[in-house]
Amino acid sequence: MSSKDCGGHGHKRRKIFRRIFAGILVFLFIVLVTILIIWAVLRPSKPSFILQDATVYAFNATTPNFLTSNLQVTFSTRNPNDKIGVYYDRLDVYAEYRTQQITLRTQIQPFYQGHKEVNVWSPFVYGTAVPVAPYNAVSLGQDQSAGAVQLMIKMDGRVRFKVGAFISGRYHLYARCDAYIQFGNRNAGVLVGNNAVKYTLAERCSVSV
């Protein structure tokens, strides 16, 4: 076989490989465009959160500037989409007072939320002898004297959206829920145990994804 024939066969093989590669690229492009069109048409809405109640087992400020707290918070999360599911890969819950975190993070087990589904969780969040910034300690003392404390219950997590067989990448989910605890009003809560008081809140949370 002459060198000319070998060169011709090599050129044909390269031409075939280029066609195969181009076909794969076109196929992947069509799949990607299809997914984007479906995603745009369905327009996934972010989940909604409602802080239903908070049961206070302990909330004690001590000198100098330490806070011990133990709360059980009940919140619901709803998937408003009728054709899109949501994977919660991670969801941490914790409490803040005036932008300062006062409890440890409590992790909710990963779960999948189907179309229009509602899930309810009641995790405990607590912190023992947590140092409080001096300026916050002054405000906390004033709030406790007034009989009411404004807390912020926060959820921080990662979610993925499921459309048919397609599952999106991870998105950062962040929810903020106001919790106005009226310690000074005996009628504001219900005694549920030894020194534990349950306060009904029914607060809609601010959610960003």
Side-chain angles (χ1 to χ4, degrees):
M1 181 180 291
S2 66
S3 59
K4 185 177 181 180
D5 292 334
C6 291
H9 286 302
H11 177 71
K12 288 181 179 179
R13 282 197 296 270
R14 287 194 296 272
K15 192 173 182 180
I16 292 172
F17 289 149
R18 281 198 297 267
R19 287 180 177 176
I20 293 174
F21 183 70
I24 293 173
L25 287 180
V26 170
F27 173 75
L28 292 176
F29 177 76
I30 293 173
V31 171
L32 179 60
V33 170
T34 302
I35 291 173
L36 290 176
I37 291 174
I38 294 174
W39 190 257
V41 170
L42 294 177
R43 290 192 302 276
S45 299
K46 59 188 177 184
S48 61
F49 285 73
I50 294 177
L51 181 61
Q52 297 181 355
D53 57 63
T55 302
V56 181
Y57 291 86
F59 198 86
N60 304 313
T62 58
T63 305
N65 304 343
F66 289 104
L67 176 63
T68 294
S69 58
N70 185 359
L71 304 90
Q72 184 179 23
V73 295
T74 299
F75 67 93
S76 62
T77 173
R78 178 178 180 270
N79 175 12
N81 301 287
D82 56 3
K83 295 182 181 179
I84 300 175
V86 183
Y87 283 101
Y88 286 79
D89 294 331
R90 198 199 78 206
L91 188 63
D92 296 334
V93 185
Y94 58 97
E96 281 188 356
Y97 174 75
R98 293 183 179 267
T99 72
Q100 181 180 350
Q101 185 173 333
I102 59 172
T103 70
L104 298 172
R105 289 175 174 241
T106 298
Q107 188 175 75
I108 303 297
Q109 290 296 319
F111 64 98
Y112 173 75
Q113 191 171 52
H115 314 152
K116 299 289 186 179
E117 189 175 348
V118 177
N119 296 91
V120 180
W121 305 94
S122 295
F124 282 88
V125 292
Y126 61 91
T128 303
V130 177
V132 179
Y135 54 87
N136 279 341
V138 173
S139 299
L140 181 60
Q142 293 173 347
D143 289 346
Q144 287 185 303
S145 297
V149 175
Q150 179 74 55
L151 300 179
M152 182 72 71
I153 306 301
K154 292 189 173 181
M155 293 85 165
D156 184 8
R158 296 290 187 274
V159 297
R160 291 175 295 156
F161 295 97
K162 183 177 183 294
V163 184
F166 169 72
I167 299 176
S168 73
R170 286 183 174 86
Y171 289 83
H172 187 186
L173 180 142
Y174 191 59
R176 302 169 70 252
C177 314
D178 289 319
Y180 186 66
I181 310 296
Q182 301 183 62
F183 293 105
N185 184 356
R186 293 184 178 181
N187 297 322
V190 178
L191 190 67
V192 294
N194 293 331
N195 298 321
V197 181
K198 181 177 182 178
Y199 298 91
T200 300
L201 302 170
E203 288 288 338
R204 185 171 294 277
C205 308
S206 170
V207 182
S208 62
V209 178

